[in-house]
């Protein structure tokens, strides 16, 4: 059933996820700062909060924290898979591949 809550959650997810993908393809963050924080990785994980918003009527209020945690962990792993696929698309050699895998592990950290 489509209602305003599901639509708003889906739009929240889609906008943040696509924005994160666009930010990931443009390298504007300095190399040292990229190891500490990554705005695209944070947006990918945060975009999965839309799933929690969609499911909020199915759970009691005190259970939403654990549902939110599960969605963030899921978002971290999906961000990892997205980062790996972006790394493989830019395959230049083993050094660039390992740097891409390292950067994609940040989303898992943010998710947990």
């Amino acid at each position: 059933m489509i209602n305003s809550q599901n639509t708003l959650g889906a739009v929240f997810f889609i906008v943040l996820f696509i924005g994160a993908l666009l930010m990931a393809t443009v390298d504007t963050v300095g190399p040292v700062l990229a190891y500490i924080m990554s705005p695209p990785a944070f947006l990918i994980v945060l975009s999965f909060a839309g799933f929690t918003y969609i499911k909020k009527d199915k759970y009691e209020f005190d259970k939403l924290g654990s549902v939110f945690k599960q969605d963030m962990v899921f978002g971290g792993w999906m961000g990892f898979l997205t980062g790996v696929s972006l790394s493989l698309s830019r395959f230049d050699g083993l050094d660039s591949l390992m740097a891409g895998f390292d950067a994609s592990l940040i989303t898992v950290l943010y998710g947990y």
Side-chain angles (χ1 to χ4, degrees):
M1 184 163 135
I2 298 176
N3 58 21
S4 63
Q5 178 180 334
N6 291 350
T7 305
L8 184 62
V11 167
F12 182 76
F13 169 75
I14 290 169
V15 167
L16 285 179
F17 195 77
I18 290 175
L21 288 178
L22 290 175
M23 286 177 67
T25 58
V26 178
D27 298 325
T28 58
V29 181
V32 175
L33 191 59
Y35 291 116
I36 299 169
M37 54 192 263
S38 171
F42 182 73
L43 285 178
I44 286 175
V45 174
L46 187 64
S47 68
F48 281 82
F51 291 142
T52 307
Y53 185 75
I54 290 172
K55 298 184 282 188
K56 77 175 186 171
D57 289 339
K58 296 179 183 178
Y59 298 98
E60 295 178 19
F61 183 74
D62 58 339
K63 304 289 184 200
L64 280 179
S66 64
V67 172
F68 184 72
K69 178 184 172 189
Q70 290 173 352
D71 288 342
M72 293 297 104
V73 171
F74 179 65
W77 284 110
M78 291 305 292
F80 173 73
L81 292 176
T82 304
V84 167
S85 65
L86 286 173
S87 299
L88 290 174
S89 70
R90 297 182 191 171
F91 183 70
D92 224 9
L94 192 58
D95 292 336
S96 67
L97 184 66
M98 294 309 290
F101 284 167
D102 292 343
S104 55
L105 282 173
I106 292 174
T107 58
V108 177
L109 176 70
Y110 287 162
Y112 279 100

